[in-house]
Amino acid sequence: GAVVSQHPSWVICKSGTSVKIECRSLDFQATTMFWYRQFPKQSLMLMATSNEGSKATYEQGVEKDKFLINHASLTLSTLTVTSAHPEDSSFYICSAKQRGPDTQYFGPGTRLTVL
Amino acid sequence: AQSVTQLDSQVPVFEEAPVELRCNYSSSVSVYLFWYVQYPNQGLQLLLKYLSGSTLVKGINGFEAEFNKSQTSFHLRKPSVHISDTAEYFCAVSERYSSASKIIFGSGTRLSIRP
């Protein structure tokens, strides 16, 4: 149980285009989903927290107009990287949690490469 | 605010030897504690967690950790490691009574197993 999927697992795009990444909780309802960014050989940096049906809460320094997050249902959250640039290339990981004591379940990640 | 310090960025160990990965945290409030493992190009997998109760927590793959409140530590141990344990290990903390449910990660410890 508690499986989280991400799609796509990897994506290559041209500079200036937008890319959408999906995060789904497959066998549970996720009241909260989180989006992280991870640079090579570094830890995870929390980008934003999203609750179903409400606006995402972004961490300091994260551009909300650049990284659009939508949490339309209890099983789906999307991250759209708008007007991507090479510096946006990274490993993006989502996680999801149910109501109750904190256990976040992580997706397998999406590797974004912007040319 | 919480913070997590993983004292060792890399730990090389011979196969079948014991290992301890150190983690110290800082928080002014009560916390939950976690250890996650990340294999190359994958998301995070929960190894174990401390929510309450017994301070010795057993997780998957033969790992265990002990919560020490006086020393604010949550060190991860395994009595005999295998090649398959080669991965990045992250210690993490979240605030116990926070509705935000954010997890703060340590910088990670790379465990490399030598045959």
Side-chain angles (χ1 to χ4, degrees), chain A residues 31-32 34 49 51 97 100 102, chain B residues 95-102:
Chain A
T31 53
T32 307
F34 304 84
T49 303
N51 292 293
K97 73 175 288 289
D102 283 37
Chain B
E95 190 175 319
R96 182 179 288 268
Y97 299 113
S98 169
S99 60
S101 302
K102 291 194 293 187

Side-chain angles (χ1 to χ4, degrees), chain A residues 66 88 97 110:
Chain A
K66 175 112 181 122
D88 299 324
K97 73 175 288 289
T110 296

Side-chain angles (χ1 to χ4, degrees), chain A residues 27-101:
Chain A
D27 50 3
F28 67 100
Q29 292 187 326
T31 53
T32 307
M33 287 185 168
F34 304 84
W35 286 95
Y36 296 85
R37 184 173 181 177
Q38 185 180 32
F39 291 103
K41 300 187 187 301
Q42 294 188 29
S43 189
L44 280 71
M45 181 192 78
L46 179 64
M47 298 174 66
T49 303
S50 73
N51 292 293
E52 186 264 340
S54 61
K55 288 185 179 180
T57 302
Y58 290 82
E59 295 300 299
Q60 193 171 8
V62 178
E63 299 175 61
K64 60 180 66 176
D65 294 330
K66 175 112 181 122
F67 299 100
L68 300 179
I69 291 171
N70 183 278
H71 193 162
S73 76
L74 285 172
T75 59
L76 173 64
S77 176
T78 60
L79 167 67
T80 302
V81 183
T82 62
S83 187
H85 287 94
E87 57 265 30
D88 299 324
S89 298
S90 192
F91 195 50
Y92 292 88
I93 302 175
C94 75
S95 71
K97 73 175 288 289
Q98 299 167 285
R99 204 180 303 275

Side-chain angles (χ1 to χ4, degrees), chain B residues 7 26 28 36 41 43 49-50 52 104-106:
Chain B
L7 298 166
S26 173
S28 57
Y36 286 89
N41 297 310
K49 60 186 176 185
Y50 172 76
S52 65
I104 305 301
F105 286 89

Side-chain angles (χ1 to χ4, degrees), chain B residues 6 26 46 60 86 104:
Chain B
Q6 291 183 245
S26 173
L46 180 67
I60 62 171
T86 297
I104 305 301

